[in-house]
């Protein structure tokens, strides 16, 4: 039978096999390159090295062919798999690589990315970042450490589930491309530094990761609904994720941190899911389309049912692309009417 492995996880048995193949193949290439660089006067040494290479090639030639076949394979789409046959007497088996679905991908990256996020940014500022993302603002993360920057930016993907960021998403933007920050669309980008000659727009929000500091855009940001209830529920879990020293590798998390990350994602996911719980109550079905019925969301009625303090946030949130996509998932083909 086939062996099953997740494509994104480095903790499975197939990796040592592949790395061993790669290591031995590289060894044969190194020997050949050494043969090619010997001076003409060292004929005996060249002859001996050539013999050694031929011996290595006879042993590892099939492995090089295996690598060639492996590199020619097209990666599977999300939630699909591919089968890779290893035609070798010593390793006669079929390996199945399965690419996780988008939900599974978010879960798999949540542990180490959330550990990075909570290690460098306070819970108060994380909730502020969540508000900025849900409002689809132009957000720039800045950190001098590329690993930290990547982890913090990528943490947005699991942080906002079941919503999905629909706009531009660039975890690492080169400083030479700072002109990209003038794009008139929502985006999330990471940069290691801001050019001194760049004059940012008032619409940009900057998250200075190394300083745990946020510079808000000039346009007012509406309060996140029930943030005062959510924060205490996350406080203890945040402390567990913040216990690791900043000098420890980001990808090394403890079982306690993995558990805290899972619980934290669950609590935030429940909080975000509740935002659209009553959406079906405030929708009607358009039966004029003979081919496909469309659900129409009564925006004014929905917002009117909310507490007054929540209405400014939802009024803006319902105009975002991520809300539209989520509403479409819940109601089918959804259209908001006022």
């Amino acid at each position: 039978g086939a062996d099953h492995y997740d494509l994104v996880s480095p903790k499975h048995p197939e990796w040592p096999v592949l790395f061993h193949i790669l290591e031995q193949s590289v060894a044969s290439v190194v020997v050949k390159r050494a043969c090619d660089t010997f001076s003409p006067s060292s004929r005996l040494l060249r002859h001996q090295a050539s013999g050694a290479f031929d011996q290595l090639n006879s042993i590892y030639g099939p492995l090089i062919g295996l690598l060639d076949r492996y590199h020619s394979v097209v990666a599977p789409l999300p939630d699909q798999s591919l089968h890779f046959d290893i035609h070798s007497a010593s390793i006669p088996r079929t390996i199945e690589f399965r690419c996780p679905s988008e939900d599974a991908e978010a879960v798999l990256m949540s542990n180490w990315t959330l550990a990075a996020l909570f290690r460098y940014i306070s819970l108060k500022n994380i909730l502020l970042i969540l508000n900025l993302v849900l409002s689809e603002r132009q957000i720039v993360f800045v950190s001098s450490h590329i690993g930290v920057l990547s982890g913090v930016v990528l943490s947005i993907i699991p942080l906002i589930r079941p919503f999905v960021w629909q706009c531009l998403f660039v975890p690492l933007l080169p400083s030479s491309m700072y002109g990209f920050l003038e794009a008139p669309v929502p985006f999330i980008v990471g940069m290691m530094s801001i050019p001194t000659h760049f004059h940012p727009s008032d619409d940009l929000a900057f998250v200075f990761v190394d300083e745990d500091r946020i510079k808000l855009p000039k346009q007012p940001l509406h309060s996140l609904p029930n943030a005062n209830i959510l924060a205490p529920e996350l406080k203890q879990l945040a402390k567990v994720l913040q216990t690791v020293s900043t000098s420890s590798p980001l990808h090394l998390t403890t079982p306690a941190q993995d558990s805290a990350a899972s619980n934290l994602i669950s609590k935030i996911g429940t909080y975000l899911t509740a935002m659209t719980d009553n959406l079906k109550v405030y929708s009607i079905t358009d039966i004029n389309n003979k081919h496909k019925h469309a659900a129409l969301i009564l925006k004014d009625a929905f917002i009117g049912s909310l507490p007054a303090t929540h209405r400014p946030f939802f009024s803006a949130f319902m105009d975002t692309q991520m809300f539209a996509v989520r509403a479409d998932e819940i109601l089918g083909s959804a259209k908001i009417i006022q």
Side-chain angles (χ1 to χ4, degrees):
D3 296 318
H4 302 269
Y5 303 109
D6 290 329
L7 194 61
V8 297
S9 176
K11 300 180 180 180
H12 294 297
E14 86 279 9
W15 287 99
V17 174
L18 294 176
F19 285 145
H20 173 73
I21 293 171
L22 178 62
E23 180 184 36
Q24 300 301 335
S25 300
V26 170
S28 64
V29 172
V30 169
V31 172
K32 184 178 185 304
R33 288 183 177 176
C35 296
D36 293 340
T37 56
F38 289 136
S39 64
S41 59
S42 305
R43 294 181 179 178
L44 177 61
L45 187 57
R46 288 184 62 191
H47 176 73
Q48 292 174 342
S50 178
F53 173 74
D54 290 340
Q55 184 178 5
L56 281 173
N57 192 48
S58 65
I59 297 173
Y60 300 116
L63 299 181
I64 296 176
L66 180 65
L67 278 177
D68 288 338
R69 287 198 300 111
Y70 178 73
H71 285 295
S72 66
V73 172
V74 178
L77 296 173
D79 210 23
Q80 295 185 2
S81 61
L82 67 84
H83 292 81
F84 185 74
D85 296 319
I86 300 179
H87 304 296
S88 170
S90 59
I91 319 175
R93 62 174 179 173
T94 298
I95 298 177
E96 179 181 358
F97 293 93
R98 181 173 298 277
C99 186
S101 64
E102 292 182 358
D103 285 336
E105 183 180 22
V107 171
L108 288 169
M109 74 166 57
S110 65
N111 291 356
W112 75 272
T113 58
L114 288 176
L117 178 68
F118 280 84
R119 190 185 302 186
Y120 287 89
I121 300 180
S122 61
L123 177 58
K124 177 183 176 181
N125 281 341
I126 288 173
L127 292 178
L128 191 55
I129 292 171
L130 179 62
N131 194 345
L132 288 166
V133 174
L134 293 177
S135 302
E136 286 189 351
R137 299 299 183 92
Q138 298 175 324
I139 311 169
V140 183
F141 290 83
V142 184
S143 174
S144 58
H145 306 283
I146 189 171
V148 173
L149 180 63
S150 300
V152 170
V153 175
L154 289 172
S155 71
I156 300 301
I157 295 175
L159 189 68
I160 64 173
R161 303 297 294 177
F163 296 99
V164 178
W165 180 258
Q166 301 295 319
C167 308
L168 297 173
F169 188 87
V170 186
L172 182 59
L173 182 71
S175 298
S176 59
M177 298 180 64
Y178 68 89
F180 177 87
L181 303 181
E182 298 177 354
V185 295
F187 54 72
I188 294 175
V189 303
M191 298 187 71
M192 297 188 67
S193 63
I194 302 297
T196 55
H197 55 277
F198 174 66
H199 300 289
S201 164
D202 290 337
D203 294 330
L204 296 181
F206 286 90
V207 180
F208 297 98
V209 178
D210 301 340
E211 307 169 30
D212 187 17
R213 179 172 62 90
I214 298 178
K215 179 181 178 295
L216 292 174
K218 187 175 182 179
Q219 183 180 356
L221 190 67
H222 302 298
S223 299
L224 199 64
N226 295 324
N228 59 325
I229 299 176
L230 178 64
E233 294 182 358
L234 303 180
K235 188 175 182 180
Q236 193 59 41
L237 296 173
K239 285 184 178 180
V240 176
L241 292 171
Q242 292 167 347
T243 53
V244 178
S245 168
T246 55
S247 60
S248 301
L250 287 176
H251 65 282
L252 296 181
T253 56
T254 65
Q257 288 178 315
D258 292 343
S259 176
S262 298
N263 290 334
L264 190 142
I265 285 297
S266 177
K267 288 183 179 296
I268 295 179
T270 300
Y271 166 78
L272 294 176
T273 301
M275 289 185 173
T276 52
D277 271 350
N278 296 328
L279 209 55
K280 290 184 178 180
V281 178
Y282 298 95
S283 65
I284 58 176
T285 302
D286 179 11
I287 60 174
N288 294 325
N289 189 330
K290 296 180 180 179
H291 303 286
K292 183 178 181 180
H293 291 175
L296 306 178
I297 301 174
L298 306 174
K299 180 179 178 181
D300 287 346
F302 178 76
I303 293 177
S305 68
L306 302 171
T309 54
H310 297 177
R311 293 173 189 172
F313 172 85
F314 274 95
S315 182
F317 182 48
M318 293 184 72
D319 290 334
T320 63
Q321 295 181 54
M322 73 174 73
F323 181 90
V325 171
R326 177 61 178 166
D328 188 64
E329 292 175 353
I330 296 173
L331 304 175
S333 180
K335 179 180 179 182
I336 299 176
I337 61 175
Q338 301 184 29

